[in-house]
Amino acid sequence: MNTGDYQDCWRPTAQQENLLRAALLRGQTAIRAWEEWKASIDIENLDSGTYRLLPLLYKNMLAHEVSDPLVDRLKSVYRHTWSKNQMLLRAAAGLLGAMRERRIETIALKGAALASLYYRDWGARQMSDFDLLVPTSKARETMSALQDLGWKPQTQWPERAILVRHSTDFSDSGGRSLDLHWHLMWECCREDDDADFWQAASPLLLGDEETLALCSADQLLHVCVHGSMWNPNPPFRWAADAMMIIQSSNVDWNRLLAQTERRRLVLPVGRMLAWLRHSLDARVPDALIEEMQAIRVSRSERVEYRVKMRQMKGLSSLATFWFMQRRSSEGGLLRRLAEFPRYLQYNWGLERLHQVPVYMATRVARRNLRRMVSLFDRSLPKTRTASR
């Protein structure tokens, strides 16, 4: 399962690992991590990935009876998170009720399901939006219903996205965001890819409305795969989500192994679970890790994994889209090549097919211009402030 010598974008830094240990572990291990993390950060200048872990950190330090002025500051973040999540939960319950009236089945994903089932505290897990999965056959109907309810799509032709993506964003007049899924993951967008997710889902109550949630094995799979791709925000919250699932439920490890292998996701999931076992002492069976490491991974899967570790920008984004299309296409190489321009058109939200090469050229020109400006700035002599 070796991918070569390079850094996985999902792997936490030493500072982030200390934060995870302080927020998740118990006893002196957590206290030592807290002290090391606190000494290494500027509390006034935290990145967004770190800020998202502060409510969970507060809960653990409170449980350890840590007396520190910084813990009092974390308390305000926890309270703000709880309040914001309550407002989002009310909006989500309204959407679930509207879908129920239209007889559209739903599965709550990510933050809402995780906070309810595994964190079990609406203040401990920040949510920036509400993620909802509906059957692929109901995607168009759901989009129409959302627009009738005042939710606006963030792309001009959201219906086209059904053919090439797994989800698209909507927002309402209150600034709340909804990520509407018709497939669970971008890596699995064929017609029947979600059938077993639906079959294993279990009831979940959000507010006064009933919906469904993924089983714990599928939940863990989703957390790992979603967290494995490059993200402008430090994505290490995946580790906290995964640990909460493992600590709070009985994961069906056989199902996780079967799902991971069948969906050709052994590289990200296997490496991430091994990291959790080694770095956070997660209750991941050693036998599972050994079985994943023994699975033969194709060359194309290794290349795909490397591509997903990089930022999608300029022409390099074409490689990511190519691998995504490759996973969803039923045809051979020639058919995929013929369909690829249309695939790009729908992903980029372009009105006409002939706009694809123009859009690509524009992206390349902008990137080159930014490089030239950056090189020019670095070539200028540094100005010195006159001493007084």
Side-chain angles (χ1 to χ4, degrees):
M1 201 173 67
N2 182 32
T3 62
D5 184 19
Y6 65 96
Q7 183 65 33
D8 299 306
C9 68
W10 51 261
R11 190 181 298 272
T13 64
Q15 184 185 89
Q16 293 164 353
E17 188 172 328
N18 274 330
L19 174 55
L20 288 165
R21 288 174 172 271
L24 292 162
L25 302 186
R26 299 290 181 265
Q28 287 303 308
T29 303
I31 300 302
R32 284 195 299 271
W34 157 258
E35 295 294 342
E36 291 179 19
W37 176 78
K38 187 176 63 169
S40 70
I41 56 100
D42 175 3
I43 194 62
E44 303 297 340
N45 294 286
L46 298 178
D47 61 74
S48 59
T50 296
Y51 188 82
R52 294 190 299 188
L53 266 290
L54 297 186
L56 188 61
L57 176 63
Y58 164 73
K59 279 201 67 178
N60 207 29
M61 291 302 99
L62 187 66
H64 283 80
E65 299 181 345
V66 172
S67 179
D68 190 305
L70 182 54
V71 175
D72 295 332
R73 296 188 63 175
L74 299 181
K75 183 178 182 179
S76 65
V77 180
Y78 170 86
R79 286 180 167 177
H80 176 73
T81 300
W82 186 91
S83 177
K84 186 177 179 181
N85 283 352
Q86 290 300 311
M87 292 188 288
L88 189 57
L89 179 60
R90 284 195 289 271
L95 280 176
L96 293 174
M99 296 304 109
R100 174 178 49 76
E101 291 174 359
R102 290 165 171 79
R103 298 184 179 180
I104 298 174
E105 287 188 290
T106 59
I107 294 179
L109 302 175
K110 299 182 186 175
L114 291 166
S116 178
L117 293 173
Y118 305 105
Y119 287 77
R120 298 170 186 170
D121 184 335
W122 288 99
R125 210 280 188 181
Q126 291 192 359
M127 296 165 51
S128 59
D129 59 4
F130 180 56
D131 289 73
L132 195 65
L133 174 66
V134 300
T136 308
S137 61
K138 296 284 187 177
R140 289 180 183 273
E141 181 183 346
T142 305
M143 289 179 180
S144 178
L146 286 171
Q147 293 179 74
D148 290 342
L149 293 167
W151 289 79
K152 295 182 178 180
Q154 298 305 288
T155 56
Q156 193 168 359
W157 296 279
E159 296 83 3
R160 290 180 175 179
I162 299 171
L163 302 174
V164 296
R165 296 179 65 90
H166 69 302
S167 70
T168 194
D169 294 326
F170 284 76
S171 64
D172 69 357
S173 58
R176 289 175 289 267
S177 297
L178 168 71
D179 190 1
L180 175 67
H181 291 243
W182 47 92
H183 293 295
L184 180 63
M185 299 179 291
W186 204 351
E187 291 81 358
C188 305
C189 288
R190 296 189 182 187
E191 186 175 352
D192 60 347
D193 273 346
D194 299 273
D196 53 355
F197 293 136
W198 285 96
Q199 291 167 4
S202 57
L204 171 66
L205 189 66
L206 290 181
D208 295 327
E209 290 293 338
E210 286 190 0
T211 181
L212 296 171
L214 299 171
C215 72
S216 58
D218 294 345
Q219 199 85 251
L220 184 55
L221 173 70
H222 189 211
V223 162
C224 289
V225 175
H226 180 69
S228 68
M229 200 165 182
W230 186 92
N231 194 304
N233 297 318
F236 66 100
R237 182 171 62 177
W238 74 266
D241 289 343
M243 285 292 288
M244 296 305 291
I245 294 169
I246 294 168
Q247 292 172 350
S248 305
S249 65
N250 294 317
V251 177
D252 183 343
W253 298 109
N254 290 328
R255 178 181 175 86
L256 179 63
L257 177 62
Q259 289 278 52
T260 302
E261 185 174 10
R262 184 169 74 85
R263 297 171 187 279
R264 306 192 312 279
L265 294 167
V266 170
L267 277 179
V269 177
R271 290 170 70 91
M272 295 166 94
L273 291 178
W275 183 89
L276 288 173
R277 181 74 179 89
H278 177 266
S279 300
L280 298 180
D281 198 26
R283 293 187 290 105
V284 179
D286 291 333
L288 174 78
I289 295 173
E290 291 171 2
E291 286 189 71
M292 285 197 174
Q293 290 174 341
I295 294 173
R296 185 181 178 277
V297 177
S298 68
R299 184 174 182 273
S300 64
E301 287 176 68
R302 288 193 288 270
V303 174
E304 176 187 336
Y305 182 77
R306 292 186 181 217
V307 165
K308 289 170 64 178
M309 294 298 104
R310 304 189 185 103
Q311 181 180 2
M312 288 179 64
K313 60 182 181 180
L315 290 179
S316 63
S317 66
L318 295 181
T320 302
F321 284 125
W322 173 256
F323 279 108
M324 294 304 183
Q325 186 218 25
R326 186 174 182 270
R327 281 181 168 270
S328 60
S329 175
E330 300 290 346
L333 176 61
L334 292 179
R335 179 175 175 179
R336 290 200 303 271
L337 286 169
E339 293 176 347
F340 193 51
R342 184 75 67 186
Y343 185 87
L344 293 174
Q345 176 197 351
Y346 288 176
N347 266 290
W348 286 335
L350 303 176
E351 184 177 6
R352 305 291 182 186
L353 185 61
H354 67 76
Q355 293 175 295
V356 169
V358 176
Y359 183 78
M360 289 171 56
T362 302
R363 287 173 67 129
V364 172
R366 286 175 178 173
R367 186 181 181 189
N368 289 337
L369 180 60
R370 286 194 295 267
R371 283 181 174 177
M372 291 174 61
V373 171
S374 177
L375 289 171
F376 178 74
D377 288 343
R378 287 200 295 267
S379 69
L380 292 177
K382 304 294 183 182
T383 59
R384 296 182 179 177
T385 304
S387 58
R388 294 183 179 179

